[in-house]
Amino acid sequence: ARARCVLAGDLGGTNSRLELFRVADGLTSDALSDVGRVRPLYRQTYKNADFAQAGFTDLLHRFLSEAGTPVTLEAGCLAVAGPVEGDRVAFTNLSWTIDARSLEDEFGMARHSMRLVNDFVANGYGVVTLEPGDYDDISPHGPIEATPGAPVACVGAGTGLGETFATSQHGLYDAWPSEGGHGAFAPRDDVQTELLAYLRKKFRGRVSTERVVSGKGIVNVYEFLAERSPDAVNAHVDREIRDADEGAAVVSRAAYDDALCGRALDIVLDAYGSELGNAAVKWLPFGGLYIAGGIALKNVDRLRAPETSFMRAYLDRGRLAPVLTKVPLRLVTVDDLGLRGAHYVALTVLVA
């Protein structure tokens, strides 16, 4: 007999992670609370470069053939690194175009049973599946109880700065895309005002928060400080940062020994905390404000304590500071948010 399954996928710029989950007859919304707890029937990760010519359809055929059991795809969702329009995406760094309707035809699926969502929107669905143990509660007001059914938001700095929020209707959450990371960068002190002037010159005009709060942002801030205080530059570290593909990783590594790198990281984390505070007052996410992405996880000790520049900036909400006493601030510690989100969406196709 063929196994009835849903497909969950997280398709990044470099790798594609795929999972198959069995679905029971008479599926109800209770299945959504099992996302992140149930083991997949099969999971595999592929290098996109190995399918650069063949395309994603061939990759999915390979995955299903390797699963070891014949499968009927009841529904599926792919979280993709790129803008989704009409369940279709063209990858910028690959010659892939993925169309959900074409996949349904190719794999014998019902119409509109395959969904494509932007990878950060998938994080928005993913965070609603989290339970204690999947995140650290870092609110300086102590652990705050989430308000059931309230909006949830997720902000994550890594390569870029992603933001998404999710709203609930009849117990099911819907996550929505946001380009909040491209909102204007607002300096909080004199040095950041100088930084803004430096970046305006560098980028010939408008400066978004992502120019500061991201991997590239860490390098931008370091280069600003190096130009501002040339005597503080360590020539060896400086050369390493400028030669590296991922200069941000070098700055982070050197942050404890090199004063300039430490200062750069503090400025970035200050702006990060400020952006999370903005998200708190913008979306009032009393269901939880989640911090995702590599920058937070690699700098946990610079986030937690109330006296860190990150936390001071987060709390600096003026007259609206009392709002933060109702916002659970949570640092995501699992690495499969996108896959969880895709699994959640695939199940909602069947439940709805």
Side-chain angles (χ1 to χ4, degrees):
R2 299 177 76 84
R4 295 177 60 230
C5 290
V6 294
L7 170 75
D10 188 357
L11 282 46
T14 309
N15 297 317
S16 290
R17 300 158 77 190
L18 297 173
E19 295 184 338
L20 275 176
F21 294 91
R22 286 184 187 273
V23 286
D25 295 328
L27 191 74
T28 68
S29 58
D30 291 347
L32 296 171
S33 55
D34 293 333
V35 172
R37 324 273 151 245
V38 291
R39 292 180 66 82
L41 174 69
Y42 183 62
R43 66 155 61 112
Q44 194 53 265
T45 301
Y46 300 93
K47 291 224 171 300
N48 296 346
D50 295 344
F51 296 86
Q53 300 308 312
F56 177 74
T57 304
D58 279 33
L59 189 158
L60 187 49
H61 274 297
R62 162 88 69 86
F63 172 70
L64 294 172
S65 70
E66 288 175 355
T69 184
V71 162
T72 300
L73 288 181
E74 298 287 335
C77 176
L78 303 174
V80 295
V84 176
E85 280 191 35
D87 269 335
R88 197 166 188 275
V89 67
F91 278 72
T92 43
N93 64 336
L94 285 165
S95 55
W96 287 6
T97 297
I98 302 176
D99 178 81
R101 304 296 80 81
S102 302
L103 290 176
E104 289 161 1
D105 292 341
E106 179 76 19
F107 295 95
M109 299 171 69
R111 253 309 164 254
H112 300 292
S113 62
M114 177 64 85
R115 293 273 311 275
L116 299 187
V117 298
N118 166 268
D119 53 358
F120 214 83
V121 172
N123 283 355
Y125 285 106
V127 293
V128 305
T129 72
L130 300 179
E131 291 187 353
D134 299 330
Y135 56 80
D136 283 345
D137 233 308
I138 65 166
S139 170
H141 297 291
I144 295 167
E145 196 72 31
T147 306
V152 167
C154 180
V155 177
T159 308
L161 175 61
E163 303 191 4
T164 181
F165 65 104
T167 54
S168 164
Q169 195 173 13
H170 311 306
L172 293 183
Y173 270 92
D174 256 320
W176 303 96
S178 163
E179 292 295 353
H182 295 284
F185 168 59
R188 284 187 353 101
D189 59 28
D190 293 345
V191 174
Q192 290 184 20
T193 301
E194 284 181 49
L195 170 65
L196 176 59
Y198 168 88
L199 293 174
R200 277 176 63 92
K201 203 162 131 191
K202 177 171 180 173
F203 296 111
R204 299 190 176 90
R206 185 182 181 279
V207 177
S208 69
T209 305
E210 188 179 74
R211 298 288 197 190
V212 178
V213 185
S214 64
K216 289 189 178 72
I218 291 175
V219 177
N220 288 337
V221 175
Y222 169 81
E223 289 176 349
F224 155 71
L225 292 173
E227 186 177 293
R228 185 174 179 267
S229 309
D231 295 347
V233 173
N234 175 318
H236 172 70
V237 173
D238 187 75
R239 194 163 37 262
E240 204 183 338
I241 291 165
R242 293 171 196 273
D243 290 350
D245 289 337
E246 296 281 334
V250 182
V251 175
S252 294
R253 271 203 311 276
Y256 290 95
D257 303 319
D258 183 88
L260 215 57
C261 290
R263 184 88 180 93
L265 203 53
D266 274 342
I267 290 172
V268 170
L269 292 176
D270 183 291
Y272 199 175
S274 184
E275 185 60 12
L276 278 152
N278 288 342
V281 295
K282 210 179 313 186
W283 288 311
L284 302 177
F286 301 141
L289 174 54
Y290 291 87
I291 309 166
I295 289 177
L297 270 181
K298 291 181 183 114
N299 296 286
V300 176
D301 48 340
R302 287 176 181 259
L303 263 58
R304 283 178 191 282
E307 67 277 2
T308 61
S309 50
F310 170 89
M311 202 57 85
R312 282 204 308 269
Y314 171 69
L315 291 170
D316 185 19
R317 294 303 109 195
R319 289 167 298 167
L320 287 180
V323 166
L324 301 190
T325 62
K326 292 188 282 187
V327 176
L329 184 65
R330 295 167 171 176
L331 174 66
V332 177
T333 55
V334 295
D335 67 354
D336 62 346
L337 260 194
L339 275 170
R340 285 173 183 243
H343 186 191
Y344 185 95
V345 173
L347 289 175
T348 61
V349 169
L350 299 180
V351 170

